[in-house]
Amino acid sequence: MQLAERLTRISVPQTIRMAKLSRELKAQGIDIVDLSIGEPDFDTPEHIREAAKKAIDEGYTHYTPVAGYADLKQAVAYKLQRDNGLEYTPEQIVVSTGAKQSIANAVLSIVNPGDEVIIPTPYWVTYSELVKLCQGVVKFVPCGIEDNYKITPERLEAAITPKTRLFMFSSPCNPTGSVYSHEELKGLAEVFEKHPEIFIISDEIYEYINYVAPHSSIASFGTLKDRTVIINGLSKGFAMTGWRLGYLAAPLEIAKACDMVQSQFTSATCSITQRCAITALRGPLDTAKEMVAAFRERRAFIYDALKNIPGLKVNEPDGAFYMFPNVSAFYGKSFEDSTVNNADDLCMYLLHKANVTVVSGKAFEQPECIRISYATSMDRIQEGMKRMKEWLGKLK
C-alpha cells in the first residue's frame, strides 16, 4: 500500500513512544517509575468540574461557532488583559482542540513551501513536524546548558536570512523548563524590530508554572503584537489535559485564517469543555498556585538528587516540570550486555534495567540530554532517583 508522501516527512513523537512503552510494561505487572509524562498529576479543580456538569444540565450539547463561543473568547481576552496586560478583541482569538491544534492552525496559516522557520533547540517535538508538513525549511539554533538552553539576540540575528518567515519558541520551555526573563525577551524583540517580515509563534502553555517572576510575553514589546501568535490553553495550569482546549491570540488576519483552517479539520472543540473554560479563565488561580508550590518542592528535591549522580550535568529550571540534564559523560560506557552510545541507548538502559522511563534528548534536537518529568508524586520521584543513581553507577 502506497500512502501519501508527506508521511515520510514526519514521525511519531518519542514522548508518546516512551509513554506507550511504559504502559505496556506496567500492564505486564512491572513496577515502572514513569518520569516521561508531560501532564500534571493533579485532578481538575472541583469548581471547573462543577461548571462542566452545569453546562450539560443546561443543554450545551450542540455545535458551537468554529472559533469558540463568543463569551469564551471574551474570557480569553479578559485573561490576556488581566495576566499579561495585552488587549485583544474576541475576533482575534480562536479556540481549538488543544494547544497543539492552535499551533498547527498558525503554522498552516503562515508557512509556505521553502520558507525558513527558526526554532531554538531544545524545543517541543511538534514544532518541526508541522513545518515539514507545510514543506517549510526548519532552521535549528542549538542552545546548550551553559546558556540555560535559551537563544541570545546575537545568535538569533545570525540565523535570520531573507527566507526567514517564522520564529517559534516556548517560555516556560518544554523540555528544559527554561524561562525567558523580561530583559531577555526585550533583547530578542530588538532584533525582530529590525525584521518586520518575520512572524513569531510564542508558546506560553506553561505560563502559570513559573518559579521566578511574573510571566512575560514577547507580544508586549513594541510592534511585535502585530505579528505574534500567542499559544496557550488549559492543560498545564488547570490540570485539564484530557479536556482538550487550547487557544491562540493573533493579529486579526491570522486569526481569521486559523478559523478557516480549523473549519476544515475539526470545526469547534467540545462544547462542554468550552463552558467550563470560562469558569477556569475568569476564576481565581488558587489551585494553580497550589500545584506550583508542589512542583517547586519536587524541583528542589530532584535537582539536588541529580546533582549527586556522578556524570550528570544539570541546571535548575525556572518553570514547567522538567529537568534536562546533559548525560553525554555516560556515552561509550557499558554494563553486562548493555552499551550506551547515545541518549536513546541510555533511555532504553534505564527502562529495562532500572524500570524508569525518561525521554531521549534526541527527540528535542539535543542528543546529549534526557528529559525527566517531575509531574508525578514525590515518592515516585524519590524511587526513580534512587534507581537512576544505582544503575547509572553500574556503567563503566
Side-chain angles (χ1 to χ4, degrees), residues 29-280:
I30 300 173
D31 178 26
I32 299 293
V33 177
D34 190 354
L35 302 180
S36 71
I37 197 70
E39 69 171 327
D41 59 317
F42 298 90
D43 291 330
T44 301
E46 183 177 0
H47 70 288
I48 298 175
R49 301 199 306 268
E50 289 299 321
K53 298 173 188 176
K54 184 171 182 275
I56 294 172
D57 291 340
E58 291 179 350
Y60 284 99
T61 56
H62 302 279
Y63 287 137
T64 81
V66 170
Y69 285 121
D71 50 352
L72 171 55
K73 295 197 292 181
Q74 289 168 355
V76 172
Y78 165 79
K79 177 263 172 235
L80 290 166
Q81 197 285 324
R82 178 194 66 192
D83 296 344
N84 311 111
L86 294 169
E87 299 288 342
Y88 287 92
T89 65
E91 292 74 25
Q92 292 178 275
I93 292 159
V94 178
V95 177
S96 303
T97 307
K100 183 180 286 189
Q101 186 182 18
S102 297
I103 297 170
N105 287 341
V107 174
L108 288 165
S109 298
I110 293 171
V111 177
N112 289 309
D115 285 344
E116 289 183 356
V117 179
I118 296 174
I119 303 176
T121 69
Y123 72 109
W124 187 46
V125 294
T126 295
Y127 298 166
S128 62
E129 303 305 290
L130 290 172
V131 174
K132 292 174 188 175
L133 277 176
C134 294
Q135 298 182 18
V137 177
V138 179
K139 191 166 187 178
F140 291 125
V141 180
C143 305
I145 194 170
E146 63 279 359
D147 298 315
N148 282 324
Y149 303 113
K150 292 184 279 190
I151 193 170
T152 63
E154 294 76 20
R155 301 194 73 190
L156 171 61
E157 182 71 68
I160 294 173
T161 76
K163 293 184 178 181
T164 303
R165 175 74 167 174
L166 176 66
F167 175 80
M168 300 176 68
F169 79 122
S170 60
S171 179
C173 177
N174 177 4
T176 67
S178 299
V179 177
Y180 285 85
S181 69
H182 181 85
E183 285 303 311
E184 288 168 334
L185 289 176
K186 182 180 178 182
L188 299 181
E190 289 171 353
V191 175
F192 287 121
E193 290 285 4
K194 294 185 289 184
H195 299 277
E197 72 284 0
I198 299 175
F199 292 96
I200 302 164
I201 292 180
S202 178
D203 183 353
E204 304 178 18
I205 189 69
Y206 289 90
E207 172 184 358
Y208 291 141
I209 307 175
N210 187 323
Y211 310 114
V212 289
H215 175 75
S216 184
S217 174
I218 198 166
S220 63
F221 292 91
T223 62
L224 296 193
K225 180 170 173 284
D226 296 333
R227 49 196 169 101
T228 296
V229 181
I230 293 177
I231 305 293
N232 213 319
L234 304 184
S235 60
K236 312 303 182 182
F238 296 99
M240 295 178 66
T241 50
W243 297 77
R244 306 312 300 141
L245 190 140
Y247 59 84
L248 62 80
L252 184 59
E253 188 175 359
I254 294 179
K256 288 181 176 179
C258 291
D259 187 333
M260 181 174 64
V261 168
Q262 183 166 298
S263 72
Q264 297 296 346
F265 281 85
T266 60
S267 191
T269 193
C270 172
S271 59
I272 306 306
T273 300
Q274 289 190 54
R275 299 315 300 173
C276 64
I278 298 172
T279 297

Side-chain angles (χ1 to χ4, degrees), residues 300-309 312 381 385-386 389:
F301 174 83
I302 198 169
Y303 176 59
D304 286 341
L306 291 172
K307 283 196 302 182
N308 287 311
I309 297 179
L312 291 183
I381 293 171
M385 292 300 98
K386 176 184 174 183
K389 185 172 184 177

